[in-house]
Amino acid sequence: MPIEIKEDFDSGRGGLVDAAKHLESVNLAPDGERTIVIARGDLFSVPAKNGTPRNLSKTSGAHERDAVWSPDGKWIAYNSDATGENELYVRSARRQRRAAAITNGADTYYYAPKWSPDSKKLLWSDRLQRLRYVDVASKAVTQVDQDKYGEIESYNWARTVSG
């Protein structure tokens, strides 16, 4: 009696991978209690001391990157290609809610966002040599500048002091 074994390509199936060996970025919360880590394209919230890491994004078909805490510690902003285009997303740092896309219709690659000191706006540059910001509540995008000669690599918010 002949026996035939069919290959089921188990080597091509997914498996458990230690994400700690594939860190892309780390950003400490303003209160120092948790850290946001991007590993293997997913967004994780990791406790500073005791507790369990949480995978916040769980997007196996997308790549998250450039995650940053808002200065008030309530929000996390990051870039993601979950829609097929690179967009800015914001999610609650405390609740397990879905992330909200803050931009749409991206026409190029975005660089790391930076929160305004009041945690209401995000500033970023892109490969089209623009510097823009978005009001998180209204999602209105404002172009600040565009460089004719090269990409804008350094940018930040200025704090104003009154009195």
Side-chain angles (χ1 to χ4, degrees):
M1 172 187 228
I3 298 174
E4 187 176 326
I5 299 174
K6 301 283 186 187
E7 172 64 54
D8 64 357
F9 301 107
D10 66 339
S11 63
R13 288 189 225 149
L16 294 178
V17 176
D18 184 358
K21 294 179 181 176
H22 302 278
L23 298 182
E24 296 173 35
S25 67
V26 176
N27 188 266
L28 185 64
D31 65 6
E33 295 294 319
R34 295 193 77 81
T35 298
I36 288 299
V37 175
I38 300 286
R40 295 184 51 81
D42 269 341
L43 179 68
F44 294 87
S45 176
V46 179
K49 290 186 181 179
N50 301 321
T52 305
R54 297 186 306 249
N55 184 335
L56 299 178
S57 56
K58 298 179 187 171
T59 51
S60 61
H63 186 192
E64 277 76 41
R65 60 186 176 76
D66 305 321
V68 290
W69 288 87
S70 61
D72 64 9
K74 295 179 181 177
W75 306 99
I76 300 163
Y78 57 96
N79 283 303
S80 177
D81 63 3
T83 64
E85 299 297 332
N86 186 72
E87 302 291 356
L88 282 172
Y89 285 78
V90 172
R91 70 178 317 119
S92 171
R94 305 282 182 238
R95 296 182 201 94
Q96 289 288 349
R97 289 188 186 159
R98 295 188 85 178
I102 302 302
T103 61
N104 63 30
D107 56 357
T108 191
Y109 184 87
Y110 293 173
Y111 295 122
K114 299 197 182 209
W115 284 98
S116 61
D118 63 2
S119 301
K120 293 182 179 181
K121 296 177 180 75
L122 287 164
L123 178 71
W124 78 97
S125 68
D126 62 32
R127 281 199 178 145
L128 293 178
Q129 302 166 191
R130 298 176 296 201
L131 180 64
R132 300 189 292 172
Y133 73 85
V134 62
D135 180 284
V136 174
S138 70
K139 299 182 182 179
V141 175
T142 301
Q143 184 163 313
V144 177
D145 198 6
Q146 186 165 16
D147 193 321
K148 292 189 258 185
Y149 304 106
E151 293 176 358
I152 300 171
E153 297 177 2
S154 180
Y155 48 94
N156 213 337
W157 293 91
R159 284 189 184 254
T160 57
V161 179
S162 59

